[in-house]
């Protein structure tokens, strides 16, 4: 039975996405070189699915996520969310609908939290910027409790917390406005094994509760196997393999085989 609330449009569609960067000139007489980070990606993410993006370092995973999350504009190509064009160059007001639908967690919990802001203000930021109605203070307290932070966390500063706690603050900020698409770019990588397991559980429980679509970059195949139902394998800016996560059990493409072979086996 299909849920009448489930949108039939895909959550995200990237069409012929390309992103190039001009590198700094090494001399005034030579033109700067151009690097292609994402090189013609077509990708559909079904609503409610959980996509893992894997690939070797430098293959374009973070760039692709920044394009899909509307944080950066593609050099060419388009991103649509639920059928609507995502324009990374749009003003804060005209991109509010998309910000309202999305949350993102980055790898580095130190760099992603403003050290001068109290945790309560950091987590309330999306509510304020998106003009979400209701009592922000209560919403912040509820989400901080969900990520196991102490009751007084809202009044303290990020440096008063451990790396794992800071990443949970970042997760709280990403989900406080109840987004329908959650992005993560290596959100567990900077954490030790025990903390990582807890963060994986939190991701799963928020995605379950929100009925959200998940787009998760991880170089850790085990994390993708635990959290995702589909996987896209990137190499040199392209998606070389895309399908159910079970393809990691019997990889066919040589890039996927190498990634799986290099992955540490989980206990
Ligand atoms: N702002 C930028 N300016 C110049 N080059 C960039 C920029 N961002 C990314 N690149 C280049 O684009 C390519 C893809 O980078 P990207 O960060 O997307 O890869 P990645 O798969 O996320 O790698 P990692 O696993 O190391 O995080 C790399 O060659 C990188 O050096
Ligand atoms: Mg990256």
């Amino acid at each position: 039975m299909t849920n009448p609330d489930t949108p039939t449009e895909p959550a995200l569609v990237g069409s012929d996405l390309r992103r190039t960067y001009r590198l700094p000139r090494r001399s005034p007489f030579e033109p700067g070189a151009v690097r292609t980070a994402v090189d013609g990606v077509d990708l559909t993410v079904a609503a409610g699915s959980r996509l893992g993006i894997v690939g070797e370092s430098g293959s374009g995973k973070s760039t692709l996520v920044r394009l899909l999350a509307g944080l950066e504009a593609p050099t060419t190509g388009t991103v649509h969310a639920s059928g609507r064009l995502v324009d990374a160059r749009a003003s804060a007001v005209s991109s509010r609908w998309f910000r309202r639908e999305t949350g993102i967690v980055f790898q580095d919990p130190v760099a992603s939290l403003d050290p001068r802001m109290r945790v309560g203000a950091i987590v309330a930021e999306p509510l304020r910027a998106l003009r979400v109605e209701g009592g922000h203070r209560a919403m912040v307290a509820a989400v901080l409790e969900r990520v196991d932070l102490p009751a007084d966390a809202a009044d303290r500063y990020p440096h008063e917390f451990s790396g794992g706690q800071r990443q949970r603050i970042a997760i709280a900020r990403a989900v406080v406005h109840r987004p329908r698409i959650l992005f993560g770019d290596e959100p567990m990588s900077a954490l030790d094994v025990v903390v990582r397991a807890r963060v994986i559980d939190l991701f799963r429980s928020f995605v379950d509760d929100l009925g959200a679509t998940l787009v998760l970059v991880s170089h850790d195949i085990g994390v993708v196997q635990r959290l995702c139902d589909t996987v896209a394998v990137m190499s040199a800016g392209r998606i070389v393999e895309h399908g159910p996560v079970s393809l990691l059990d019997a990889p066919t493409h040589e890039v996927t085989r190498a990634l799986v072979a290099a992955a540490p086996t989980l206990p």
Side-chain angles (χ1 to χ4, degrees), residues 56-63 66 107 185-186 217:
E56 71 258 8
S57 182
S59 57
K61 305 180 296 293
S62 295
T63 307
R66 288 198 303 271
Q107 174 170 1
D185 186 358
E186 308 266 16
V217 169

Side-chain angles (χ1 to χ4, degrees), residues 109-110 113 147-149 158 161-171 187-188 190-192 194-196 198-199 202:
V110 176
L113 304 178
V147 300
D148 313 323
L149 285 163
F161 295 89
S162 69
Q165 287 175 318
R166 280 188 246 198
Q167 196 58 308
R168 284 182 275 147
I169 294 167
I171 293 169
M188 295 98 186
L191 309 173
D192 71 47
V194 176
V195 178
R196 188 180 305 179
R198 179 65 188 125
V199 167
L202 278 175

Side-chain angles (χ1 to χ4, degrees), residues 137-215:
R137 206 171 245 286
M139 289 181 205
V140 168
V143 76
L144 287 174
E145 193 185 330
R146 271 289 298 281
V147 300
D148 313 323
L149 285 163
D152 65 347
D155 300 321
R156 292 157 61 187
Y157 289 91
H159 75 262
E160 298 176 55
F161 295 89
S162 69
Q165 287 175 318
R166 280 188 246 198
Q167 196 58 308
R168 284 182 275 147
I169 294 167
I171 293 169
R173 176 180 56 184
V175 301
V176 69
H177 56 296
R178 305 188 62 77
R180 295 201 300 120
I181 307 176
L182 187 59
F183 294 95
D185 186 358
E186 308 266 16
M188 295 98 186
S189 306
L191 309 173
D192 71 47
V193 178
V194 176
V195 178
R196 188 180 305 179
R198 179 65 188 125
V199 167
I200 291 171
D201 284 346
L202 278 175
F203 255 79
R204 184 185 292 113
S205 79
F206 279 119
V207 170
D208 283 347
D209 285 3
L210 298 167
T213 305
L214 176 67
V215 178

Side-chain angles (χ1 to χ4, degrees), residues 81-149:
S82 307
R84 232 171 130 175
L85 181 71
V86 174
D87 180 2
R89 296 194 184 90
S91 69
V93 172
S94 39
S95 60
R96 196 178 285 154
W97 69 274
F98 185 62
R99 298 269 81 92
R100 184 86 183 73
E101 297 202 349
T102 54
I104 181 159
V105 183
F106 297 100
Q107 174 170 1
D108 183 350
V110 176
S112 64
L113 304 178
D114 186 337
R116 297 159 305 182
M117 281 169 74
R118 287 182 207 269
V119 169
I122 290 172
V123 175
E125 201 172 29
L127 301 174
R128 197 174 45 73
L130 298 167
R131 315 223 167 142
V132 175
E133 293 189 5
H136 293 180
R137 206 171 245 286
M139 289 181 205
V140 168
V143 76
L144 287 174
E145 193 185 330
R146 271 289 298 281
V147 300
D148 313 323
L149 285 163

